[in-house]
Amino acid sequence: MKIAFFDTKPYDKPSFDRYGEAAGITFKYFEAKLNEDTVDLAQGYDGVCAFVNDTVNSTVIDRLAQLGVKVLALRCAGFNNVDVRHAYGRLHVLRVPAYSPYAVAEHTMALLLTSIRRIHKAYIRSRDFNFSLAGLTGFDLHGKTVGVIGTGRIGRVFIDICRGFGMKVLAYDKYPADGLDNGDTVRYVGLDELFRHSDIISLHCPLTEDTYHIIDEAALEKCKKGVVLLNTSRGALVDAEALLGGIKSRQVGAACLDVYEEESDLFFEDNSGHILEDDTLARLISMPNVIVTSHQAFLTEEALENIAETTVQNLSSFFKTGECPNELCYRCGKTEDCRHGKCF
Ligand code: NAD
């Protein structure tokens, strides 16, 4: 089987080549992102493999179907960049629902600690033999309240990490997990209560119509003054303009962003020689209390192995049996516990 692999980065190839070879799947690596301009590169391939910033809208889906491409294998968990409803009946969409949730949860805590203990500042200072501590005062996490929005795989690992630090957890999820709320250190609450009582808020829900700009101006106004916002989920969960306003007004004490609403043309690329057109991102990055990483939370050796292994298993299963347990159901957007049956 031949698969057109879009938005290839050097770190993708070793694991995909290894698992692909063992399963009889050949990947043709394209550096281009999948979109309306590049979709014809998929001509002659049995399937395409795409990542978070590829654009799989109705036009791309229709063209892929015309080209005879049967399957889209996402090498990620989120699928907000795919018009899954339009894909119904035209293209099978497979994904990697779970890969090292520890990678993302641990990166979230790394960002939080870096930010509140000013490690990013101290690192630069000490390299210049500036050993002053002025302005580096942080605060203890022990005893603080963290609001976790989305208590799926990553959210729950992050909650465990936070509990290890002696933090209290206020959780919010559209579909609360059984057995997580212990009535004491972890409690499910409504969004308003979470906003009002959290010292730190971390986003671990998918990007959907419900969650688009879940952090907007109104939400930030409800938050404690000085709240620390962590977003390692999807950029458009946060209204970046509202966040910038919150930083300027000091309502937001710090923000750590691994994702950004308009990241698709910037993140994963070296733009150091270019003038950044996005004034909001430039202003956010210029703030001393904002840390931006470029969608790297998933990037651990373990996660890359998991992603390649599951993507190849998904494709093998699909080509051998016509079915795959990780196929997305367009109706519920889930693979597990899907009560709507197969997509086709
Ligand atoms: P998951 O499906 O296990 O958990 C998502 C949780 O969000 C579920 O419990 C679900 O019920 C909940 N949810 C759904 N709609 C909601 C709503 N409207 N309000 C509140 N909660 C809602 O997913 P996961 O593996 O934990 O991943 C979470 C998100 O992390 C993904 O959707 C993806 O966007 C993001 N992610 C980012 C990276 C990265 O590198 N930065 C890597 C992997 C995943």
Side-chain angles (χ1 to χ4, degrees):
M1 292 298 157
K2 291 191 306 174
I3 304 294
F5 194 104
F6 284 88
D7 199 11
T8 307
K9 297 289 177 287
Y11 53 73
D12 289 317
K13 292 183 189 175
S15 47
F16 273 91
D17 277 344
R18 190 156 21 86
Y19 284 104
E21 196 181 332
I25 293 175
T26 309
F27 293 103
K28 170 73 179 175
Y29 296 105
F30 296 109
E31 285 186 16
K33 289 189 177 64
L34 176 60
N35 57 38
E36 293 164 17
D37 297 329
T38 61
V39 61
D40 281 2
L41 289 169
Q43 184 148 29
Y45 290 90
D46 303 297
V48 294
C49 184
F51 197 46
V52 293
N53 288 324
D54 291 302
T55 305
V56 195
N57 57 20
S58 56
T59 312
V60 170
I61 289 166
D62 287 343
R63 185 65 187 138
L64 286 172
Q66 276 172 10
L67 294 172
V69 173
K70 298 268 180 307
V71 62
L72 165 69
L74 293 170
R75 52 183 192 278
C76 52
F79 48 89
N80 52 284
N81 53 333
V82 180
D83 187 340
V84 181
R85 187 167 286 270
H86 191 77
Y88 182 72
R90 296 177 174 90
L91 189 68
H92 293 268
V93 183
L94 322 177
R95 68 164 182 157
V96 182
Y99 57 86
S100 179
Y102 310 103
V104 182
E106 289 172 14
H107 188 78
T108 311
M109 182 49 84
L111 286 172
L112 175 60
L113 286 171
T114 302
S115 170
I116 66 160
R117 301 309 301 267
R118 315 281 190 262
I119 304 295
H120 54 310
K121 297 280 167 201
Y123 174 77
I124 290 170
R125 274 190 201 182
S126 58
R127 288 180 68 82
D128 201 25
F129 308 114
N130 173 356
F131 301 117
S132 157
L133 296 183
L136 298 187
T137 308
F139 62 82
D140 290 3
L141 288 178
H142 185 90
K144 294 294 184 300
T145 299
V146 59
V148 177
I149 300 179
T151 56
R153 296 175 192 85
I154 296 169
R156 288 203 300 273
V157 173
F158 185 67
I159 286 172
D160 281 348
I161 294 171
C162 289
R163 291 180 67 192
F165 276 78
M167 301 170 83
K168 293 200 172 89
V169 179
L170 295 178
Y172 172 78
D173 197 300
K174 196 171 174 183
Y175 310 100
D178 289 339
L180 185 64
D181 187 327
N182 61 15
D184 180 21
T185 49
V186 183
R187 285 194 302 120
Y188 273 112
V189 295
L191 260 189
D192 270 18
E193 189 175 345
L194 183 149
F195 289 143
R196 287 186 205 292
H197 297 290
S198 299
D199 302 295
I200 295 144
I201 294 175
S202 195
L203 303 175
H204 299 289
C205 57
L207 175 61
T208 63
E209 281 172 14
D210 285 350
T211 60
Y212 176 79
H213 284 186
I214 196 168
I215 302 296
D216 58 8
E217 197 179 333
L220 291 174
E221 272 170 17
K222 290 176 196 159
C223 290
K224 278 185 163 183
K225 194 164 179 66
V227 66
V228 177
L229 180 70
L230 312 172
N231 187 9
T232 56
S233 198
R234 283 293 180 268
L237 296 175
V238 176
D239 177 345
E241 286 290 340
L243 175 62
L244 185 57
I247 298 265
K248 284 186 187 169
S249 70
R250 318 294 197 265
Q251 174 68 3
V252 176
C256 302
L257 311 173
D258 185 52
V259 285
Y260 176 68
E261 189 166 0
E262 303 298 332
E263 71 179 46
S264 60
D265 291 332
L266 292 168
F267 282 18
F268 302 116
E269 308 296 337
D270 180 0
N271 286 291
S272 57
H274 298 267
I275 306 294
L276 189 63
E277 300 280 351
D278 186 326
D279 289 349
T280 308
L281 181 61
R283 192 81 173 92
L284 281 169
I285 288 174
S286 76
M287 297 289 182
N289 52 353
V290 175
I291 297 178
V292 174
T293 51
S294 56
H295 209 136
Q296 78 174 70
F298 73 99
L299 195 61
T300 65
E301 286 173 14
E302 291 81 355
L304 290 175
E305 283 289 309
N306 296 163
I307 289 168
E309 186 178 17
T310 305
T311 305
V312 168
Q313 275 170 1
N314 285 346
L315 287 165
S316 291
S317 163
F318 175 78
F319 286 123
K320 276 186 195 145
T321 67
E323 290 182 18
C324 171
N326 292 328
E327 177 160 3
L328 281 170
C329 171
Y330 91 100
R331 293 175 72 182
C332 61
K334 276 187 150 185
T335 50
E336 289 165 298
D337 304 325
C338 170
R339 297 195 181 85
H340 302 295
K342 289 186 288 176
C343 297
F344 283 76

